[in-house]
Amino acid sequence: MKKLAVVTTGGTIGSSAEGGIIRVSERENPAVTRAMAGREYDVFSPINILSENALPATWDRIARAVRALDWEEYAGILVTHGTDTLCYTGAALAYTLGDVPIPIVLVSAAYEPDDPRSNAFANIQGAVDFIRTGGLRGVFAAYQNGGEPCKIHLAARLEEVTACGARLDSYGGAPLGTIQAHQFIPEQVPANPSAEALNQRRKPAFPTGIAFDRSVALIKAYPGIDYGALDPTGYAAVLHILYHSGTGRTEGAGSLPECIRRCAGMGIPSYFTPAHRGDRYSTTQQLIDAGAIPMPGISTAAAYVKLVYGCNTPGAPADLPTRDLCFETVE
């Protein structure tokens, strides 16, 4: 196998604890060193931050670092990253690096590599095994939940890592596959794309090197939220995160439909997720009637990142919110 490229960006997987405080480290990552034993690899470090400090410009910086590599030299690329915003960076890299002809695998950790509870080594080893045996191109993530085998996920379908148990799962419920005995075993479910579909040549959905001058507001529904108190001034769009059935409050002062119409009057489009195909609740229909655009079959992170790129990319297609760009949507 050709050598591997390791793009480090910080995060827990690149941190160490001292005096009860976890900080990003400048030393060589022990989990990378252990997993790469006997293998040839190059390390690149475009940034070194905790991922909660990431901005959309950070996604672009990582993507440009991957683009700067000579892909012919490598069997695959590992991107070490923090867990907090892994799903957002995963979606961003999936949208911008769809043309890369070798696998790109994000790896993170629930605990810093020196902690005996850490899954850093298991995740890096799983990524290496996937690159070696998967035979797939695209952007993925390798992650082990608890004592389970390491799972391989489509980066565009990552959910947020849970606060309890630090679990990472795919939107739609099924990972792309599992690492068993150092071999990639695909998960045979209808929601997953075939190897042939993944390996088709395609263009990136969005360019790198853009200026993120326009922002998207992300607003989560909760009982008692007063949408009338929200000021969308300065935002290019608003994405509403609704309850699991795709509903939000439609009655009384400060309702969501009022907010949607107010935004429309300011030239600010409103979107929402989750959005379910087929029969919908009357409250959901009221949101659509007010002008909100549903984004069905997509995770919150992938929907948000798609809108951020769409609002900052001239000529983005009008049907962008509902168009599948890189297998991010689940039927």
Side-chain angles (χ1 to χ4, degrees):
M1 187 173 78
K2 293 180 180 179
K3 64 181 177 179
L4 298 171
V6 180
V7 178
T8 66
T9 69
T12 299
I13 196 170
S15 296
S16 59
E18 184 176 348
I21 304 298
I22 300 171
R23 295 184 175 89
V24 289
S25 175
E26 298 293 338
R27 65 185 174 90
E28 187 173 5
N29 190 312
V32 171
T33 303
R34 180 183 169 197
M36 294 295 182
R39 300 186 185 278
E40 188 178 1
Y41 65 99
D42 296 326
V43 178
F44 306 88
S45 301
I47 57 173
N48 191 32
I49 63 171
L50 292 173
S51 74
E52 55 267 35
N53 290 321
L55 302 170
T58 309
W59 310 334
D60 186 68
R61 191 168 176 181
I62 298 171
R64 285 188 286 115
V66 172
R67 287 213 167 276
L69 301 178
D70 183 354
W71 304 331
E72 290 292 329
E73 288 190 28
Y74 302 105
I77 302 167
L78 279 71
V79 178
T80 65
H81 195 281
T83 53
D84 280 358
T85 61
L86 181 70
C87 55
Y88 297 93
T89 299
L93 298 188
Y95 289 139
T96 56
L97 299 175
D99 58 324
V100 177
I102 56 176
I104 301 166
V105 189
L106 289 102
V107 288
S108 63
Y111 300 93
E112 64 276 16
D114 291 331
D115 191 309
R117 299 169 295 176
S118 181
N119 55 359
F121 170 75
N123 295 343
I124 296 171
Q125 183 62 62
V128 173
D129 291 338
F130 172 69
I131 291 171
R132 184 176 57 84
T133 67
L136 299 175
R137 62 186 294 171
V139 186
F140 310 90
Y143 195 88
Q144 179 195 57
N145 289 318
E148 301 174 9
C150 183
K151 304 291 178 65
I152 303 300
H153 305 268
L154 289 169
R157 292 187 185 178
L158 293 177
E159 295 272 35
E160 287 198 34
V161 174
T162 63
C164 182
R167 285 190 61 89
L168 177 67
D169 293 301
S170 284
Y171 181 82
L176 186 67
T178 303
I179 300 298
Q180 299 180 19
H182 298 287
Q183 300 288 317
F184 172 68
I185 308 299
E187 188 86 9
Q188 302 291 349
V189 296
N192 283 342
S194 66
E196 291 76 19
L198 285 167
N199 284 331
Q200 285 181 355
R201 296 183 60 133
R202 58 188 181 275
K203 296 180 180 179
F206 299 106
T208 52
I210 65 175
F212 292 94
D213 297 326
R214 310 179 76 208
S215 299
V216 175
L218 188 63
I219 300 173
K220 189 179 187 304
Y222 59 87
I225 184 172
D226 181 3
Y227 289 101
L230 301 176
D231 182 7
T233 304
Y235 287 99
V238 178
L239 175 61
H240 290 280
I241 309 306
L242 305 183
Y243 299 117
H244 80 97
S245 53
T247 59
R249 183 170 69 85
T250 60
E251 298 180 352
S255 70
L256 182 49
E258 289 179 358
C259 176
I260 293 167
R261 285 189 285 267
R262 178 160 52 90
C263 288
M266 301 169 66
I268 303 170
S270 297
Y271 304 87
F272 68 85
T273 185
H276 305 294
R277 300 175 179 89
D279 294 342
R280 60 175 68 103
Y281 284 91
S282 60
T283 47
T284 308
Q285 187 60 50
Q286 290 178 59
L287 306 182
I288 296 173
D289 292 343
I293 302 168
M295 297 183 72
I298 188 171
S299 72
T300 297
Y304 171 75
V305 174
K306 179 186 285 191
L307 290 177
V308 169
Y309 273 99
C311 288
N312 287 281
T313 304
D319 65 344
L320 178 67
T322 56
R323 179 184 293 191
D324 184 80
L325 303 175
C326 56
F327 309 105
E328 73 276 17
T329 57
V330 178
E331 293 294 333

